[in-house]
Amino acid sequence: MRVVVAITAASGAIYARQLLKMLIESAEVERIALIYSENAQAVVAHEGEEMPSCSEKIELFANDNLFASPASGSARWDAMVVVPSSVGTIGRVASGVSQTLIERAADVMLKERRRLIFVVRETPYSLIHLRNMTTLTEAGAVILPATPSFYSRPQDIDALCRTVTERVMAMLGLSGERYEWGVKK
């Protein structure tokens, strides 16, 4: 599987770090396109996170490079995850605005009917946010709020956040260890 990972300037860099680590470790993932929005790296640094980058699977693309492979449906990327996703990114994609590589790659996923997941990190939602998320859902995207679960009784923040990133992996159709309701370990 070939996956585009876009990191926007929303809070929640821990989700991006965890997802990248899981994708790198997955034998099912052959290639990862990594794109940062203009202010994403500042938020990542502010939150004290460090993204895994020492992998031959990762190819970094500049967000202003609309000639990069994720901007074209013929490049055959299988899926895209925007993690964390700002509601601004959601709004621009929902309205068909493609001025950056992140927005164009998301547009490509929608037009090609490929898996597109937005891990939304915003609260509360305004009516505009909800309408934009509805538009994207109707177009085939998955809205996966960064809302951790407590069923697995996570013992620390990393484990709590992993309940979201494991869910993303499941939505991508990738195997891996994850909590399953009613299954005793």
Side-chain angles (χ1 to χ4, degrees):
M1 175 177 261
R2 297 162 31 105
V3 182
V4 177
V5 175
I7 302 173
T8 73
S11 179
I14 188 172
Y15 297 112
R17 174 183 53 80
Q18 288 181 342
L19 181 64
L20 283 170
K21 186 175 183 294
M22 289 177 189
L23 291 172
I24 289 167
E25 292 172 355
S26 173
E28 298 165 277
V29 175
E30 103 184 38
R31 192 165 168 218
I32 303 163
L34 179 58
I35 312 163
Y36 289 91
S37 72
E38 184 178 339
N39 293 306
Q41 289 181 317
V43 173
V44 169
H46 178 77
E47 293 183 354
E49 292 292 340
E50 192 172 317
M51 296 299 136
S53 58
C54 300
S55 172
E56 59 191 36
K57 287 185 179 183
I58 294 178
E59 185 174 357
L60 184 63
F61 293 96
N63 197 28
D64 64 353
N65 182 0
L66 293 176
F67 198 67
S69 65
S72 174
S74 65
R76 307 271 326 143
W77 289 94
D78 299 302
M80 178 175 180
V81 182
V82 184
V83 56
S85 178
S86 66
V87 291
T89 300
I90 284 173
R92 288 185 296 279
V93 174
S95 62
V97 175
S98 295
Q99 294 180 329
T100 68
L101 181 56
I102 291 173
E103 296 158 1
R104 174 60 185 161
D107 189 45
V108 166
M109 291 294 139
L110 291 173
K111 78 180 187 70
E112 299 290 332
R113 306 294 193 262
R114 298 182 189 148
R115 180 61 56 146
L116 173 61
I117 302 169
F118 290 93
V119 182
V120 186
R121 227 309 301 139
E122 184 68 61
T123 191
Y125 297 134
S126 74
L127 182 58
I128 294 167
H129 302 152
L130 293 168
R131 286 185 175 153
N132 287 333
M133 287 188 269
T134 299
T135 297
L136 288 173
T137 301
E138 290 171 344
V142 173
I143 304 298
L144 196 153
T147 308
S149 66
F150 299 87
Y151 301 121
S152 62
R153 298 185 180 140
Q155 298 301 304
D156 56 30
I157 290 177
D158 213 59
L160 181 65
C161 292
R162 210 168 28 256
T163 66
V164 172
T165 51
E166 288 173 353
R167 191 83 168 130
V168 174
M169 292 290 284
M171 293 301 299
L172 288 170
L174 296 170
S175 57
E177 191 174 317
R178 61 182 61 96
Y179 176 79
E180 292 181 52
W181 179 258
V183 177
K184 300 275 186 196
K185 291 192 177 192

